[in-house]
Amino acid sequence: IMKQDVRKLTFDKLKDYVSETGLPPFRAKQIWEWIWVKSAHTFDEMSNLSLLMRAQLAKDFDILPISVQTDQKSNDGTIKLAFSLHDKALVEGVLIPVDDRMTACVSSQVGCSLSCKFCATGYMDRKRNLDPAEIYDQVVEIEKQAKRHFDTPLSNIVFMGMGEPLLNYKNVLRSIERITATDGLNMSPKRITVSTAGIAKMIIKLADDQVKFNLALSLHAANDVKRNQIMPINETNTLKVLKEALLYFYQKTGNQITFEYIVFDNFNDGLEDAEELWHFAKSIPSKINIIEYNPIAEAQYQNTTADKLEQFAEFLKSKKLIVNIRRSRGKDIDAACGQLANKN
């Protein structure tokens, strides 16, 4: 019989188990801390429990950690990790070191069902959702890399790896709860950003759930015709519907939205595109990240020219929008935005 992963238990359920096994109640807290604060991968590591107790736990439960299958380091310091899951499925995570921050980019699904035309993951099928513990483990493993290579802990987490986080809603929120909890990794939710291709009803649910983390929308075009072309999800979640959901999110949480906008050559990089973006963004408290495109074999899109990128950004700045240009990182190892597809 399959044993249950101990990390699927809530603290209350763990307490029940401990009392049913006839152990003193304080043992539940010790086990919980081993799992979520110290990130133990085996019961043997739980050194303040007796050998007997560890054997009992191992008999009743499993811990199904992810493991690093390969790691590649880019010329710019970016590190890409391929993680093997207990069922041999693979996902990828990335450590992005920049001057003032260490960012972990984590995956939320094995593959993706949204088929965005410019994204390598979008050409894979969605195999399954990740469990909260599998997302949590990515953060732990990427932080180890940050400490090993740069002697610095993680400062930020972005859910921008493989998959659409809002289609794995419950598990993503539970993973963030464990990552931010004082009896977890104790990271500030203000340093976590969940990125979505734009699922309006789930954005509204985030607002109603009063989440504390940041929300990013992969926009890439501010008119429906163009956005439908590259992001099929837009056909059922139009820009008008998304704008209403984002405004609602802001009213409920007070968190400004980040718009991610990849500039494709001769597709969405003209001044009329910049103007459409301004019209869309101006009424939503937000900032805009303009992202260099990283071409992939499956798609014919190319990155825009440096001049056009500059003009695009300048136009938005002249309209008093907050704009950052995000240079591509980890291109040489297929670790850049939109390139994650288990190519190792």
Side-chain angles (χ1 to χ4, degrees):
I1 38 170
M2 273 285 286
K3 291 183 284 190
Q4 191 183 10
D5 184 342
V6 71
R7 297 190 292 181
K8 288 207 164 116
L9 298 184
T10 59
F11 186 55
D12 286 342
K13 284 269 187 290
L14 184 61
K15 284 199 298 200
D16 293 346
Y17 167 79
V18 162
S19 73
E20 283 158 22
T21 322
L23 297 168
F26 73 91
R27 292 298 188 192
K29 191 161 180 295
Q30 287 181 320
I31 298 164
W32 189 255
E33 281 187 354
W34 275 109
I35 301 169
W36 295 116
V37 181
K38 300 175 181 158
S39 315
H41 278 179
T42 62
F43 295 110
D44 286 343
E45 290 165 58
M46 303 183 178
S47 49
N48 55 0
L49 306 183
S50 71
L51 285 174
L52 205 62
M53 206 184 304
R54 287 182 242 170
Q56 184 64 45
L57 280 166
K59 191 167 112 337
D60 295 335
F61 296 106
D62 258 333
I63 299 179
L64 301 172
I66 67 173
S67 59
V68 176
Q69 188 177 339
T70 57
D71 58 84
Q72 293 168 279
K73 194 168 182 187
S74 163
N75 306 328
D76 62 23
T78 302
I79 296 172
K80 178 169 83 163
L81 302 167
F83 297 115
S84 178
L85 311 181
H86 66 90
D87 58 0
K88 301 291 177 269
L90 286 181
V91 293
E92 293 182 339
V94 184
L95 172 67
I96 308 157
V98 251
D99 313 334
D100 55 343
R101 56 174 66 182
M102 278 285 153
T103 301
C105 173
V106 298
S107 293
S108 56
Q109 296 179 310
V110 181
C112 186
S113 57
L114 291 190
S115 317
C116 297
K117 298 291 176 257
F118 50 84
C119 173
T121 315
Y123 288 85
M124 303 167 65
D125 293 332
R126 185 189 76 82
K127 304 230 173 19
R128 69 173 176 85
N129 285 333
L130 293 187
D131 285 340
E134 292 173 323
I135 298 171
Y136 163 97
D137 277 350
Q138 292 175 70
V139 174
V140 171
E141 291 301 334
I142 295 171
E143 174 147 77
K144 283 183 193 162
Q145 299 280 336
K147 288 176 172 165
R148 183 181 311 146
H149 292 277
F150 303 99
D151 208 17
T152 313
L154 284 181
S155 61
N156 297 74
I157 301 171
V158 295
F159 281 72
M160 292 182 189
M162 303 168 74
E164 164 54 64
L166 298 192
L167 291 180
N168 185 14
Y169 190 92
K170 210 168 89 233
N171 290 352
V172 164
L173 260 62
R174 168 87 177 133
S175 72
I176 292 173
E177 185 273 317
R178 289 287 82 225
I179 290 163
T180 55
T182 46
D183 61 355
L185 298 180
N186 203 13
M187 275 192 77
S188 163
K190 291 270 167 265
R191 297 185 167 276
I192 298 176
T193 300
V194 170
S195 174
T196 176
I199 297 156
K201 67 170 197 250
M202 302 318 277
I203 294 172
I204 288 166
K205 188 162 168 42
L206 286 174
D208 289 335
D209 286 339
Q210 302 270 302
V211 298
K212 302 278 192 290
F213 53 79
N214 303 303
L215 182 64
L217 177 74
S218 293
L219 187 61
H220 315 315
N223 86 47
D224 282 318
V225 176
K226 280 190 181 175
R227 200 163 187 267
N228 288 349
Q229 252 180 292
I230 52 173
M231 302 179 76
I233 183 76
N234 194 68
E235 291 164 21
T236 47
N237 291 260
T238 61
L239 290 168
K240 180 177 178 296
V241 171
L242 281 177
K243 183 184 257 190
E244 287 163 12
L246 293 171
L247 284 167
Y248 182 76
F249 178 85
Y250 177 75
Q251 283 157 5
K252 285 279 199 176
T253 64
N255 283 356
Q256 65 165 11
I257 313 293
T258 301
F259 291 118
E260 314 273 14
Y261 192 102
I262 297 175
V263 271
F264 303 109
D265 189 36
N266 288 331
F267 177 73
N268 64 351
D269 58 350
L271 284 179
E272 68 281 10
D273 299 294
E275 194 158 350
E276 285 169 348
L277 178 53
W278 166 58
H279 279 293
F280 183 78
K282 66 181 179 184
S283 58
I284 304 170
S286 59
K287 59 178 194 213
I288 297 168
N289 285 342
I290 297 175
I291 302 167
E292 288 185 316
Y293 183 55
N294 309 294
I296 55 168
E298 295 84 349
Q300 74 283 13
Y301 299 102
Q302 293 302 321
N303 193 16
T304 188
T305 63
D307 289 353
K308 274 181 155 174
L309 183 68
E310 211 47 56
Q311 285 169 352
F312 194 96
E314 284 312 314
F315 173 85
L316 295 171
K317 287 177 187 166
S318 74
K319 297 293 189 189
K320 304 284 181 277
L321 294 176
I322 303 166
V323 181
N324 300 302
I325 295 177
R326 288 266 182 261
R327 300 293 172 195
S328 188
R329 314 265 312 171
K331 253 195 286 214
D332 53 324
I333 55 169
D334 287 333
C337 241
Q339 289 186 322
L340 300 187
N342 296 329
K343 271 206 249 177
N344 325 16

